[in-house]
Amino acid sequence: MSIIIGCSPSTGSSLLRRILNRHSKVFCGSETTFFAKEPLYNEWDKTKHKVFKSGVLGIPNAGYQHYSKVELEEDYPIKKATIKQMIADASSLKAFAKAFYEPILAQTGKTIWIEKTPSNAFLFDKFLATFNKGKVIHIVRNPLDVITSLYKRGESLYEAVATYLLNTAAAMSCIAHPDYHLIRYEDLI
């Protein structure tokens, strides 16, 4: 099963990721940003070579914050050269995800993969259309707490409010889809 988490930053997605990753059947690693890049859904063959490039040479994440680089932390036990080969060999984002997650699931003994990147929220519809039987999780938190957290992390008040509103509205555009699931941060804690 394929699942992505999307949200506004500072809503508790890292906490949710850690909780889900403790389940015996779920692998939920840190952010990859693979599923937050619209060109990878629409023009895989034309854009896949840009996955590890940054700045104007890379593929920006969808949404307000245009982060473009893919950085994989120690959660993913696959070497960058191997991932580049997987990307080159894959015929689509879905085929790449299968090649990327299958060895991780086999190594960990888990059966479900989840990826968490806040800007996934902007592409819930693309993910659900691409990954049949896929699911999306939208985590929300009291807006005042989110905006305060973003502001304390260095965003201007305008940026903090815009980030919260745009990410949340984008995710909620799929609220009627049967594979959209809403989780409240306050319920987690």
Side-chain angles (χ1 to χ4, degrees), residues 33-34 36-40 50-51 53-63 65-69 119 123:
T33 75
F34 287 127
K37 299 179 182 311
E38 189 167 10
L40 295 180
K50 297 180 177 184
V51 166
K53 295 182 178 179
S54 60
V56 296
L57 300 176
I59 306 169
N61 285 4
Q65 296 175 323
H66 294 291
Y67 183 77
S68 65
K69 194 172 182 184
S119 54
L123 298 177

Short mmCIF file of all heavy atoms in Angstrom, two decimals, residues 33-34 36-40 50-51 53-63 65-69 119 123:
data_model
loop_
_atom_site.label_atom_id
_atom_site.label_comp_id
_atom_site.label_asym_id
_atom_site.label_seq_id
_atom_site.Cartn_x
_atom_site.Cartn_y
_atom_site.Cartn_z
N THR A 33 10.55 14.24 -0.82
CA THR A 33 10.01 15.23 -1.74
C THR A 33 9.69 14.67 -3.12
O THR A 33 9.26 15.41 -4.00
CB THR A 33 10.89 16.51 -1.89
OG1 THR A 33 12.04 16.22 -2.69
CG2 THR A 33 11.30 17.09 -0.56
N PHE A 34 9.84 13.37 -3.35
CA PHE A 34 9.54 12.78 -4.66
C PHE A 34 8.10 13.04 -5.10
O PHE A 34 7.83 13.28 -6.27
CB PHE A 34 9.76 11.26 -4.66
CG PHE A 34 11.19 10.84 -4.64
CD1 PHE A 34 11.65 9.96 -3.67
CD2 PHE A 34 12.10 11.29 -5.59
CE1 PHE A 34 12.97 9.54 -3.65
CE2 PHE A 34 13.42 10.87 -5.57
CZ PHE A 34 13.85 10.01 -4.60
N ALA A 36 6.08 15.44 -4.20
CA ALA A 36 5.70 16.85 -4.14
C ALA A 36 6.14 17.61 -5.39
O ALA A 36 6.07 18.83 -5.43
CB ALA A 36 6.31 17.50 -2.90
N LYS A 37 6.61 16.89 -6.40
CA LYS A 37 7.14 17.51 -7.62
C LYS A 37 6.23 17.17 -8.80
O LYS A 37 6.30 16.06 -9.35
CB LYS A 37 8.57 17.05 -7.85
CG LYS A 37 9.49 17.46 -6.70
CD LYS A 37 10.90 16.97 -6.90
CE LYS A 37 11.80 17.33 -5.74
NZ LYS A 37 11.77 18.69 -5.29
N GLU A 38 5.39 18.11 -9.19
CA GLU A 38 4.39 17.86 -10.22
C GLU A 38 4.96 17.36 -11.54
O GLU A 38 4.39 16.46 -12.16
CB GLU A 38 3.53 19.11 -10.44
CG GLU A 38 2.34 18.85 -11.32
CD GLU A 38 1.32 19.97 -11.31
OE1 GLU A 38 1.61 21.05 -10.76
OE2 GLU A 38 0.23 19.75 -11.84
N PRO A 39 6.08 17.88 -12.02
CA PRO A 39 6.61 17.38 -13.30
C PRO A 39 6.92 15.88 -13.29
O PRO A 39 6.90 15.25 -14.34
CB PRO A 39 7.89 18.20 -13.51
CG PRO A 39 7.64 19.47 -12.76
CD PRO A 39 6.85 19.05 -11.55
N LEU A 40 7.19 15.30 -12.13
CA LEU A 40 7.47 13.87 -12.08
C LEU A 40 6.21 13.05 -12.35
O LEU A 40 6.29 11.91 -12.81
CB LEU A 40 8.08 13.48 -10.73
CG LEU A 40 9.47 14.06 -10.45
CD1 LEU A 40 9.97 13.60 -9.08
CD2 LEU A 40 10.47 13.70 -11.55
N LYS A 50 16.49 15.48 -13.32
CA LYS A 50 16.69 16.66 -12.47
C LYS A 50 16.45 16.39 -10.98
O LYS A 50 16.59 17.29 -10.17
CB LYS A 50 15.74 17.78 -12.90
CG LYS A 50 15.95 18.31 -14.29
CD LYS A 50 14.92 19.40 -14.55
CE LYS A 50 15.11 20.04 -15.90
NZ LYS A 50 14.15 21.15 -16.07
N VAL A 51 16.11 15.17 -10.63
CA VAL A 51 15.66 14.86 -9.27
C VAL A 51 16.66 15.30 -8.21
O VAL A 51 16.29 15.88 -7.20
CB VAL A 51 15.33 13.36 -9.12
CG1 VAL A 51 15.21 12.97 -7.66
CG2 VAL A 51 14.04 13.03 -9.85
N LYS A 53 19.11 17.53 -8.54
CA LYS A 53 19.67 18.86 -8.76
C LYS A 53 18.94 19.87 -7.88
O LYS A 53 17.78 19.68 -7.52
CB LYS A 53 19.56 19.24 -10.24
CG LYS A 53 20.41 18.33 -11.11
CD LYS A 53 20.37 18.72 -12.54
CE LYS A 53 21.29 17.76 -13.30
NZ LYS A 53 21.31 18.02 -14.70
N SER A 54 19.62 20.94 -7.55
CA SER A 54 19.01 21.95 -6.68
C SER A 54 18.90 23.28 -7.41
O SER A 54 19.45 23.46 -8.49
CB SER A 54 19.81 22.10 -5.39
OG SER A 54 21.12 22.50 -5.68
N GLY A 55 18.19 24.21 -6.78
CA GLY A 55 18.04 25.55 -7.34
C GLY A 55 17.28 25.52 -8.65
O GLY A 55 16.40 24.70 -8.87
N VAL A 56 17.65 26.41 -9.56
CA VAL A 56 16.94 26.52 -10.84
C VAL A 56 17.13 25.29 -11.72
O VAL A 56 16.38 25.08 -12.66
CB VAL A 56 17.34 27.79 -11.60
CG1 VAL A 56 16.95 29.04 -10.84
CG2 VAL A 56 18.84 27.81 -11.91
N LEU A 57 18.13 24.49 -11.45
CA LEU A 57 18.37 23.28 -12.23
C LEU A 57 17.53 22.10 -11.76
O LEU A 57 17.38 21.11 -12.46
CB LEU A 57 19.86 22.90 -12.19
CG LEU A 57 20.83 23.93 -12.73
CD1 LEU A 57 22.26 23.46 -12.53
CD2 LEU A 57 20.55 24.22 -14.20
N GLY A 58 16.97 22.21 -10.57
CA GLY A 58 16.18 21.12 -10.00
C GLY A 58 14.71 21.25 -10.32
O GLY A 58 14.29 22.07 -11.14
N ILE A 59 13.92 20.44 -9.66
CA ILE A 59 12.46 20.45 -9.83
C ILE A 59 11.87 20.99 -8.54
O ILE A 59 11.99 20.36 -7.49
CB ILE A 59 11.91 19.03 -10.07
CG1 ILE A 59 12.62 18.35 -11.23
CG2 ILE A 59 10.40 19.09 -10.33
CD1 ILE A 59 12.30 16.87 -11.34
N PRO A 60 11.24 22.15 -8.59
CA PRO A 60 10.69 22.70 -7.34
C PRO A 60 9.49 21.90 -6.85
O PRO A 60 8.75 21.31 -7.63
CB PRO A 60 10.26 24.12 -7.74
CG PRO A 60 10.04 24.06 -9.21
CD PRO A 60 10.99 23.01 -9.74
N ASN A 61 9.35 21.87 -5.53
CA ASN A 61 8.15 21.28 -4.95
C ASN A 61 6.96 22.13 -5.34
O ASN A 61 7.08 23.34 -5.53
CB ASN A 61 8.26 21.25 -3.43
CG ASN A 61 9.18 20.17 -2.93
OD1 ASN A 61 9.82 19.47 -3.69
ND2 ASN A 61 9.26 20.04 -1.62
N ALA A 62 5.82 21.51 -5.43
CA ALA A 62 4.59 22.24 -5.68
C ALA A 62 4.30 23.14 -4.49
O ALA A 62 4.71 22.87 -3.37
CB ALA A 62 3.45 21.27 -5.90
N GLY A 63 3.59 24.22 -4.74
CA GLY A 63 3.15 25.07 -3.66
C GLY A 63 3.97 26.32 -3.46
O GLY A 63 4.76 26.72 -4.29
N GLN A 65 6.34 27.11 -1.07
CA GLN A 65 7.77 27.00 -0.80
C GLN A 65 8.40 26.14 -1.88
O GLN A 65 8.10 24.97 -2.01
CB GLN A 65 8.00 26.37 0.58
CG GLN A 65 7.45 27.26 1.68
CD GLN A 65 7.57 26.62 3.04
OE1 GLN A 65 7.40 25.44 3.20
NE2 GLN A 65 7.87 27.45 4.03
N HIS A 66 9.28 26.71 -2.66
CA HIS A 66 9.81 26.05 -3.85
C HIS A 66 11.13 25.33 -3.59
O HIS A 66 12.11 25.53 -4.29
CB HIS A 66 9.94 27.05 -4.99
CG HIS A 66 8.62 27.56 -5.45
ND1 HIS A 66 7.72 26.76 -6.11
CD2 HIS A 66 8.02 28.75 -5.30
CE1 HIS A 66 6.63 27.45 -6.37
NE2 HIS A 66 6.79 28.67 -5.89
N TYR A 67 11.15 24.47 -2.60
CA TYR A 67 12.31 23.64 -2.31
C TYR A 67 12.50 22.70 -3.49
O TYR A 67 11.56 22.06 -3.94
CB TYR A 67 12.06 22.86 -1.02
CG TYR A 67 13.22 22.02 -0.58
CD1 TYR A 67 14.32 22.59 0.03
CD2 TYR A 67 13.22 20.65 -0.77
CE1 TYR A 67 15.39 21.82 0.45
CE2 TYR A 67 14.28 19.87 -0.36
CZ TYR A 67 15.37 20.46 0.25
OH TYR A 67 16.42 19.69 0.63
N SER A 68 13.73 22.59 -4.01
CA SER A 68 13.90 21.79 -5.23
C SER A 68 14.79 20.57 -5.07
O SER A 68 14.78 19.70 -5.92
CB SER A 68 14.47 22.67 -6.34
OG SER A 68 15.77 23.11 -6.01
N LYS A 69 15.52 20.45 -4.01
CA LYS A 69 16.49 19.37 -3.90
C LYS A 69 15.89 18.15 -3.20
O LYS A 69 15.02 18.27 -2.36
CB LYS A 69 17.70 19.87 -3.11
CG LYS A 69 18.90 18.97 -3.20
CD LYS A 69 20.10 19.63 -2.55
CE LYS A 69 21.31 18.77 -2.68
NZ LYS A 69 22.46 19.31 -2.00
N SER A 119 4.64 19.63 1.42
CA SER A 119 4.09 20.10 0.14
C SER A 119 3.46 18.99 -0.70
O SER A 119 2.92 19.26 -1.77
CB SER A 119 5.13 20.87 -0.65
OG SER A 119 6.30 20.13 -0.80
N LEU A 123 -0.37 18.01 -4.19
CA LEU A 123 -0.48 17.01 -5.25
C LEU A 123 -1.23 15.75 -4.80
O LEU A 123 -1.07 14.69 -5.38
CB LEU A 123 0.92 16.65 -5.77
CG LEU A 123 1.68 17.82 -6.39
CD1 LEU A 123 3.07 17.40 -6.81
CD2 LEU A 123 0.93 18.42 -7.57
#
